[in-house]
Amino acid sequence: MLGQQVLRGVAGRTDLTLPSGFKAKGHGGQTTPAATPWIEIFDEKGMRDPKKGLYLAYIFSADLKNVALTLQQGITWLEEPLGKGEAREAHLRHHAARLRRAVRRQELLQWADEPSLRDSATRPKAYEAASVIARVYDTATLPSDVALMEDLLLGVEALRRAEEFDRIWWMSGEADVIQFAYALDSHTSEATPIALPADFDPLADFQPKDSSEYEVQIKARQQVKQRHHEALIDDFGNYIANRGYRPITKRQHPKDLVLAESQDSEGKGSEWLVEAKVVRNGNATTAVREALGQLYEYRHFLYRKEREPFLLGLFSEEIGVYAPYLEEQGIASIWRSGEGWAGSPQARGWGMTTE
C-alpha cells in the first residue's frame, strides 16, 4: 500500500526537520498494514531499543484523524511474563506514572498522559498504556513546522529525563519484580488450552528466572543479590516434571508456578497453584503467612470464572507445625528435605514427595 511505502521511505529521507543527531524510521506493519502506523524518532548515538527501552514516536490513530507525539515504553519484552492483554497494560501504566514524575508533567500544559488510538487490538491498546506523555494533533489542522519542532524538542528533553530515571530503576533490580494490578470488575486468565503433540516436552512452558548471583550498581555502591526464590522454583519444577506433572511459569505472572497433569492434552484437568517461599534463618512464620495470603488472593482474583485450583505452598526447608496448620486451611505444603522433597499428607497423596 502507498501508506506503507511512505513509512518505509522515512528512514532514507534527508529533508526532515529533526533535532541534531536524531533520525526517523517508519513502522507500518510487515505483511499486513498496522492498525496504528507510527514513526520512531531516535538519537543515533543513544540507547535505542523500541522493544524494551524508551523512545519518542509519532503514532497515528486507527482512523488517521489524529497523530500523537508520545514518549513511549517498549512493550515487546513484557509479552513473555505478562502476555499481551490487561496484565501488560497494567504494568505499563504503573511504570508510566513513575516516569511522569521524572519528566515534570505539570510543566507540559498542552500534553496529555495517553493518546486515544481508537483501536481495540492488543498492540494499539499497549501503545496507549505505554505512553508517558503525549502531544496530540488533529491531522486536518496540523500546527506550523516551528510549533512541531518546539514540541519535539520538549519531547527530547522529557526523554532524557525519563531515560535517567529508567536507568536507575533497571539497575536497582526493581525491574525483576513486574508490577501487577487486578482489574476492579473482573480478572480472568488469558491462558488457552493447547493440545499436546506426541513429542510434547513437559518443561516447554517452564522457564524460571536465572538463580545465579548478580551485581547491581546503585549510586556508586555495589551490591550482590541472590535469587534463592528462583532457584527453589527451578529445582522443584525440574523434579516434579518427572512425577507426572507439567510445571508452567510462562505467562503466569504474578503466580510463581502452576502445575498441570502431564497426560492432560486438552487443558481441562486439575490445576495446582504453587506459591514458593524461602524460609529465612529457620523461622517459617513469615514465609507461611505470605504464602497463605498470596494463595488465597490469587485464587480469588485469578480464578473467578475457572475451576478453583488446588493450593500448594513450596518452601525451601521444613515448616514444622505450620504444615498441619496449612492443611486445615486447604493448602498442601512441600519442602526441601536433604536431596529430596518432603511434604504434608495431601502433597504425599498427590505423589509429589520423595518421602
Side-chain angles (χ1 to χ4, degrees):
M1 293 180 63
L2 179 60
Q4 286 180 300
Q5 294 175 2
V6 171
L7 287 168
R8 293 192 185 107
V10 167
R13 293 184 59 170
T14 59
D15 60 335
L16 299 176
T17 304
L18 296 171
S20 177
F22 277 75
K23 293 290 185 179
K25 182 179 180 181
H27 299 265
Q30 299 297 325
T31 56
T32 58
T36 53
W38 56 286
I39 298 173
E40 175 191 358
I41 307 296
F42 62 94
D43 186 348
E44 288 185 290
K45 298 180 180 179
M47 295 295 291
R48 175 172 170 253
D49 187 358
K51 295 181 179 179
K52 193 170 186 179
L54 299 173
Y55 61 98
L56 293 172
Y58 288 97
I59 305 181
F60 290 85
S61 60
D63 57 13
L64 302 181
K65 292 182 178 180
N66 297 110
V67 60
L69 169 60
T70 171
L71 172 53
Q72 281 279 305
Q73 306 169 66
I75 64 173
T76 307
W77 75 281
L78 290 167
E79 290 180 8
E80 180 67 26
L82 298 181
K84 299 181 179 181
E86 293 180 1
R88 178 171 67 172
E89 293 167 25
H91 169 78
L92 289 168
R93 287 193 169 95
H94 186 94
H95 193 47
R98 288 194 188 104
L99 294 170
R100 284 186 198 111
R101 295 194 292 271
V103 304
R104 301 176 189 174
R105 167 69 175 82
Q106 65 274 18
E107 296 179 7
L108 305 172
L109 299 180
Q110 293 183 305
W111 293 61
D113 291 343
E114 298 181 15
S116 175
L117 300 179
R118 293 188 282 281
D119 192 279
S120 59
T122 56
R123 184 166 288 269
K125 288 175 70 65
Y127 287 152
E128 291 176 344
S131 174
V132 181
I133 54 173
R135 181 73 166 93
V136 182
Y137 308 103
D138 186 334
T139 53
T141 56
L142 289 172
S144 66
D145 289 347
V146 172
L148 289 171
M149 175 55 82
E150 289 176 348
D151 286 340
L152 183 53
L153 290 173
L154 285 174
V156 170
E157 183 180 357
L159 173 64
R160 296 295 189 228
R161 291 173 177 171
E163 281 178 330
E164 181 61 28
F165 182 95
D166 203 47
R167 188 177 300 111
I168 294 172
W169 181 72
W170 277 98
M171 292 170 61
S172 72
E174 290 184 45
D176 288 340
V177 185
I178 298 174
Q179 297 295 330
F180 185 87
Y182 301 110
L184 294 180
D185 52 353
S186 64
H187 187 97
T188 56
S189 171
E190 293 184 10
T192 54
I194 299 176
L196 304 180
D199 58 349
F200 171 68
D201 178 4
L203 293 174
D205 292 323
F206 181 59
Q207 299 174 4
K209 296 178 182 177
D210 182 13
S211 62
S212 61
E213 295 183 350
Y214 63 103
E215 294 184 353
V216 178
Q217 298 285 346
I218 304 178
K219 295 183 180 179
R221 184 176 81 253
Q222 189 177 69
Q223 295 182 344
V224 177
K225 297 187 177 182
Q226 297 176 321
R227 293 189 173 110
H228 298 305
H229 178 265
E230 283 75 21
L232 177 62
I233 296 172
D234 190 5
D235 291 348
F236 180 71
N238 283 283
Y239 156 77
I240 204 68
N242 294 317
R243 301 189 74 87
Y245 294 92
R246 179 162 58 101
I248 306 169
T249 56
K250 189 176 181 180
R251 295 187 180 178
Q252 294 297 324
H253 185 80
K255 309 170 194 173
D256 278 343
L257 177 66
V258 165
L259 301 180
E261 295 169 303
S262 290
Q263 68 272 22
D264 175 24
S265 62
E266 300 296 328
K268 297 179 181 179
S270 299
E271 178 172 310
W272 285 259
L273 174 61
V274 183
E275 181 62 30
K277 293 298 174 186
V278 174
V279 176
R280 309 286 183 184
N281 302 317
N283 186 345
T285 302
T286 299
V288 169
R289 286 175 178 172
E290 291 178 352
L292 185 147
Q294 286 178 259
L295 285 167
Y296 279 176
E297 175 186 325
Y298 296 161
R299 183 179 65 180
H300 175 79
F301 285 105
L302 305 181
Y303 291 86
R304 288 184 176 181
K305 296 183 180 180
E306 303 174 22
R307 180 192 302 179
E308 287 193 352
F310 295 113
L311 303 181
L312 178 65
L314 169 64
F315 300 96
S316 59
E317 59 186 73
E318 186 176 357
I319 58 174
V321 295
Y322 286 108
Y325 164 71
L326 287 177
E327 289 244 330
E328 289 178 4
Q329 316 309 315
I331 300 173
S333 56
I334 192 166
W335 54 85
R336 291 185 190 273
S337 178
E339 296 299 318
W341 299 87
S344 65
Q346 184 67 272
R348 293 197 298 272
W350 290 327
M352 292 184 175
T353 65
T354 55
E355 298 183 4

